[in-house]
Amino acid sequence: MLRQQDVGHRIVVRRIVGIREGRPLFSDALGELVELDETHITLATDQGRVQVPRDEVHRAKWVPAARRPTAAAVIALELAADEAWPAPVRGRLGDWLLRSAAGWTGRANTALPIGDPDRPLPAAVDAVERWYADQGQPAMVNTPLPLATPVGAELDARGWGARPLTLVQTVALDRLRATLPAPGPTVELTAAPSAQWLAVAAGRKGGLPDAARHVLTAVDRLRFAHLYADGALVAVGRGTVTGEGRWLGLSLIEVVPEFRGRGLARQVVRALADWGADSGATDVFLQVEQRNTPAVTLYRSLGFTTHHTYLTRVAPA
């Protein structure tokens, strides 16, 4: 029997979804237990939030902790990711990070509730709301799961919404390089993005305010990949090395629509992977929305697996 103290654990729930010829039909859901009440069990799964009525639950069991990253591993990777995508306006609430980048991307405009906020949880959320109000922005919080499950429960109680689930995926750098062809001679790596590179990124992200340029460039070790065909820029990517040199972070891997399906993204990733290896990195991470099926499929084929997930929570208007 599940109890309130089980919130935050990774579990498998077998539910009854129908009856056929007098026998029950079952379906399994795997995810972090994020809410438990008298009528429903709510899980955060790779497919999003799943709410299971208690009267449909046949059985539930924990997934052994050895199959999940430790809290320390989740914190370390979240900090490496923050270092790789740095917001220009920053604050602290105890150990929590407060980040603002004029609204450009969710990652750079959210609080990151890892560690101790140095005050009771309700007061911490009140302080987050005030800080973002001072920035003239809606309050948003990234909740790494299962680490920030208690924070998520507090936000649920306040009526906060949630954006689609994001997967934080990783792979060993040597394994990634082994799955990829050697980069073509048309992939160029530069320490600063070209105007064409920025134009491709702006098309994907809906413009590039000054704050965006800070997010993209204010990292000590980074490279911008440019892949050309017939003199035109047709694919881009960005690589960073953070987390005390361990993590190569991949972001903004983009191929212009008319050149997709030709393996160009793989060439971009290979060029950045080689640079990361030369820079001393040993592991690779990226962040991708679970609903972005083409990207998730590509990264799975390269050996990426989900390290942990997070939800971007948004305060009610």
Side-chain angles (χ1 to χ4, degrees):
M1 179 66 65
L2 294 173
R3 300 164 297 176
Q4 198 63 39
Q5 54 263 46
D6 296 326
V7 169
H9 286 89
R10 193 165 179 82
I11 64 171
V12 175
V13 174
R14 171 154 289 189
R15 64 189 295 188
I16 301 171
V17 295
I19 302 292
R20 178 181 296 167
E21 297 179 353
R23 303 180 64 179
L25 301 176
F26 299 105
S27 176
D28 291 341
L30 169 66
E32 285 82 22
L33 177 62
V34 296
E35 189 175 353
L36 185 66
D37 60 31
E38 294 181 356
T39 60
H40 290 83
I41 293 170
T42 304
L43 305 178
T45 76
D46 286 352
Q47 288 73 45
R49 290 169 70 90
V50 174
Q51 195 173 60
V52 182
R54 277 181 174 266
D55 58 8
E56 294 181 4
V57 175
H58 176 65
R59 67 184 182 194
K61 64 179 182 179
W62 293 355
V63 175
R67 301 182 190 176
R68 297 184 287 121
T70 65
V74 172
I75 290 172
L77 183 47
E78 284 291 326
L79 291 177
D82 173 69
E83 186 184 348
W85 199 255
V89 180
R90 305 172 70 84
R92 279 199 172 270
L93 195 66
D95 296 328
W96 289 16
L97 301 179
L98 307 173
R99 307 173 291 189
S100 173
W104 191 75
T105 76
R107 278 178 284 171
N109 291 275
T110 54
L112 182 60
I114 55 176
D116 183 0
D118 199 28
R119 65 204 69 198
L121 182 54
V125 176
D126 290 342
V128 167
E129 292 175 339
R130 288 194 299 270
W131 192 86
Y132 282 97
D134 290 343
Q135 307 303 316
Q137 296 178 226
M140 298 197 297
V141 176
N142 271 5
T143 54
L145 300 170
L147 189 65
T149 298
V151 178
E154 175 68 22
L155 301 181
D156 287 340
R158 295 174 181 237
W160 284 47
R163 292 183 176 178
L165 189 74
T166 296
L167 313 179
V168 181
Q169 299 200 307
T170 61
V171 67
L173 182 50
D174 285 347
R175 179 179 179 187
L176 174 63
R177 296 174 75 199
T179 67
L180 291 164
T186 52
V187 180
E188 297 180 6
L189 299 183
T190 61
S194 68
Q196 291 175 298
W197 193 103
L198 291 171
V200 174
R204 175 173 172 179
K205 292 293 188 180
L208 290 177
D210 289 343
R213 294 173 186 265
H214 182 279
V215 171
L216 291 173
T217 62
V219 182
D220 289 339
R221 289 189 281 176
L222 82 164
R223 288 293 184 271
F224 296 88
H226 304 67
L227 193 155
Y228 295 93
D230 298 325
L233 184 65
V234 297
V236 301
R238 176 177 176 271
T240 57
V241 173
T242 59
E244 299 182 343
R246 173 184 175 184
W247 291 103
L248 168 66
L250 300 177
S251 59
L252 288 169
I253 308 298
E254 182 76 6
V255 179
V256 299
E258 57 269 32
F259 281 84
R260 290 174 183 167
R262 305 185 188 185
L264 302 186
R266 293 173 182 268
Q267 290 189 42
V268 167
V269 171
R270 177 58 192 263
L272 292 170
D274 288 348
W275 168 77
D278 291 342
S279 300
T282 58
D283 296 281
V284 190
F285 80 91
L286 55 81
Q287 296 167 318
V288 59
E289 283 193 1
Q290 182 274 331
R291 65 180 179 177
N292 187 349
T293 302
V296 171
T297 301
L298 168 64
Y299 298 139
R300 183 185 301 118
S301 73
L302 300 180
F304 282 90
T305 58
T306 298
H307 183 274
H308 65 277
T309 64
Y310 70 77
L311 289 169
T312 298
R313 306 298 306 272
V314 183

